Amino acid sequence: MGGTAVPDGQRGDEDDRGGLRTALGGLTTRGRSFLAAGVAAAVCAYVLGQADLLRVGLLLATLPLICVLVLHRTRYRVAASRRLTPQRVEAGSEARVQLRMENVSKLPTGLLMLQDHVPYMLGPRPRFVLDRVEAGGRREVSYRVRSDLRGRFPLGPLQLRLNDPFGMCELTRSFSAYDTLTVVPRTEALPPVKLVGESLGHGDGQQRSLALAGDDDIIPRAYRHGDDLRRVHWRSTARYGELMVRREEQPQRARCTVLLDTRRVAYQGSGPDSAFEWAVSGAASALVHMLERGYAVRLVTDTGSTVPGEGSEGAPAQDSAESAGLMMDTLAVVDHSEGGGLSRASDALRGGDEGLLVAFVGDLDEEQAALTARMRGRAGAAVAFVLDSGTWLTGGAVAGAVEDRVRQLREAGWTALPVPPGARLADLWQQAAGMRAESAADTYGGWS
């Protein structure tokens, strides 16, 4: 819900003088024409000595000034609010904006014109005309916005235009509240494939591990009333001289890291159909799919940034819903980085078991391909989608250099696939699953 603002009349002498100057500046073309005609008629009447013409001139010049004064003294107060539903949409989807106007004064309003500021990517600025709102009355209007480009777009502030009955003067009063529409990348539903060798556990993305927190501590603890005597750890009991219960195993979510290469030098072209936008949408599709399968997912870029952040034990600091929101918000505004290499991403992946690693990379030279190949050693399983941005511009076949990089990654243990222009990630995902099944002996934990 957007905030509420109330344009009002005069607020002290200084504000009154400033508001009067603003009102004079709001004279319409008709008002300026009447004023100019009145002044000209008065001058001519003075020169020619025509008293009747002087009266006409004074009438013409006074009418717009009276309208300015009346409009400036208008004291009815209008409150406005905005509701954006939903606040986060995929590219190409629509969001609904609902505006509510309420007359909180004791006087009915005249003709009101509303205009909401909307970025041009979301469509034309919506304009509405509200005829006479009674005291305490409400009016609601709505419009829809849509963007094919991801990003964060401000909506507002809302402007209210006031007109006098003769159309001599027009005043614009702006509200301060605004909302932000987040347009996230398009996601593609991926097939629920599984690789052989997937670890057993409670759910697709869970495995058994030692408890790290809660009632089952990482070290034996003192016996508590109600503990099962079968859990007594006799060696620790003898050592500490009191009953100690042993640690137990509990389910732990399997991990998945999605690596997105954003280097400017790795991509050519721009726009919704560019290779870079395909990589961003692919990363979004992969992380959403893995979260739905029960994995703990994090997003890493070539700059070394990690979303979400990690806790003290390397575990994700947020739950799945919050993590998904953070990662999708990041992908909504991610842009090209100026870095030339993937060394920071390699450092971010260093240390610990990364589980499944899914990478979306652009053009790789020999050095960066070798660095990417070495990242495989830190993951249980690794899948790479390699884009040749040059072919995305021409619509041709995948270049031989890309095939060489893919072969280099495969030799290092990656399941690597070249991405031709316009390819569907779901098809490549299925193809990667088949390739992983052929090398089941090297698979850790599986992916789905």
Side-chain angles (χ1 to χ4, degrees):
M1 174 73 72
T4 301
V6 183
D8 199 354
Q10 46 189 325
R11 294 186 176 92
D13 294 339
E14 184 177 352
D15 290 344
D16 188 65
R17 290 192 296 270
L20 186 57
R21 287 194 296 268
T22 302
L24 287 173
L27 282 171
T28 62
T29 302
R30 178 184 299 177
R32 295 176 187 275
S33 299
F34 267 67
L35 184 60
V39 172
V43 171
C44 292
Y46 176 77
V47 172
L48 300 176
Q50 297 291 328
D52 293 337
L53 183 59
L54 179 60
R55 294 192 201 67
V56 174
L58 291 177
L59 176 63
L60 293 177
T62 303
L63 181 60
L65 296 179
I66 293 176
C67 292
V68 167
L69 183 61
V70 171
L71 197 60
H72 169 64
R73 292 290 183 176
T74 298
R75 299 195 59 83
Y76 58 79
R77 305 170 70 232
V78 179
S81 63
R82 180 191 299 103
R83 184 188 299 273
L84 174 61
T85 310
Q87 294 186 340
R88 182 190 291 120
V89 297
E90 282 194 8
S93 300
E94 288 187 344
R96 184 170 180 263
V97 183
Q98 185 175 6
L99 302 175
R100 172 182 289 185
M101 303 296 300
E102 180 178 2
N103 182 11
V104 296
S105 67
K106 298 181 180 180
L107 297 176
T109 70
L111 188 67
L112 300 178
M113 290 187 292
L114 304 180
Q115 175 179 280
D116 209 6
H117 281 264
V118 174
Y120 72 92
M121 291 81 73
L122 302 183
R125 289 184 177 179
R127 294 180 174 88
F128 305 94
V129 177
L130 301 182
D131 192 12
R132 190 178 182 277
V133 181
E134 65 279 7
R138 297 180 180 179
R139 298 289 188 274
E140 291 187 358
V141 294
S142 63
Y143 64 94
R144 295 185 179 275
V145 290
R146 178 181 181 274
S147 175
D148 292 327
L149 300 176
R150 56 186 176 82
R152 292 173 63 87
F153 305 100
L155 301 179
L158 180 66
Q159 287 186 336
L160 175 64
R161 293 186 178 181
L162 308 177
N163 294 82
D164 67 277
F166 300 101
M168 299 288 181
C169 183
E170 178 181 278
L171 292 183
T172 300
R173 293 173 175 175
S174 296
F175 296 80
S176 59
Y178 69 93
D179 290 275
T180 301
L181 175 67
T182 302
V183 181
V184 300
R186 290 186 178 92
T187 58
E188 184 177 348
L190 302 181
V193 295
K194 295 183 179 181
L195 295 185
V196 294
E198 182 175 356
S199 60
L200 299 177
H202 300 283
D204 294 333
Q206 292 181 328
Q207 59 190 18
R208 303 293 293 182
S209 68
L210 295 178
L212 299 180
D215 291 336
D216 297 316
D217 301 328
I218 194 171
I219 61 175
R221 58 171 174 82
Y223 174 83
R224 299 171 185 170
H225 179 71
D227 284 341
D228 190 345
L229 291 177
R230 290 175 295 181
R231 294 176 55 192
V232 174
H233 193 265
W234 296 108
R235 180 176 300 176
S236 298
T237 299
R239 178 180 178 184
Y240 292 102
E242 60 177 323
L243 281 178
M244 305 290 292
V245 294
R246 66 178 180 270
R247 58 185 177 179
E248 288 190 348
E249 292 182 340
Q250 66 180 17
Q252 180 182 354
R253 299 173 67 191
R255 294 168 179 255
C256 174
T257 299
V258 178
L259 172 62
L260 175 62
D261 179 12
T262 65
R263 295 171 300 139
R264 187 179 301 275
V265 297
Y267 298 95
Q268 302 179 43
S270 60
D273 298 326
S274 64
F276 179 67
E277 291 301 324
W278 190 97
V280 174
S281 295
S285 301
L287 68 88
V288 169
H289 176 75
M290 300 308 293
L291 283 170
E292 290 176 349
R293 305 301 295 178
Y295 280 71
V297 183
R298 67 169 179 164
L299 173 68
V300 179
T301 67
D302 60 289
T303 62
S305 62
T306 302
V307 182
E310 295 192 349
S312 58
E313 297 295 335
Q318 291 84 11
D319 59 21
S320 297
E322 186 178 356
S323 297
L326 288 173
M327 289 184 286
M328 294 301 287
D329 287 346
T330 300
L331 291 177
V333 297
V334 70
D335 201 356
H336 290 293
S337 69
E338 300 302 329
L342 298 171
S343 58
R344 292 184 179 179
S346 179
D347 293 339
L349 296 175
R350 180 175 292 117
D353 179 14
E354 298 299 333
L356 173 65
L357 174 59
V358 182
F360 295 84
V361 295
D363 299 333
L364 297 173
D365 56 24
E366 185 175 355
E367 178 183 358
Q368 298 307 315
L371 179 59
T372 305
R374 290 195 295 270
M375 295 181 193
R376 168 63 181 88
R378 301 163 193 154
V383 182
F385 300 95
V386 184
L387 292 94
D388 177 17
S389 60
T391 63
W392 281 72
L393 289 177
T394 61
V398 176
V402 177
E403 295 287 357
D404 293 339
R405 302 298 180 232
V406 170
R407 188 179 306 110
Q408 184 178 355
L409 294 179
R410 289 176 179 175
E411 291 174 353
W414 284 81
T415 301
L417 292 171
V419 181
R424 294 182 64 251
L425 180 59
D427 297 336
L428 297 175
W429 196 265
Q430 186 76 48
Q431 184 180 349
M435 295 176 61
R436 287 293 302 162
E438 296 176 359
S439 56
D442 298 328
T443 302
Y444 167 81
W447 66 295
S448 59

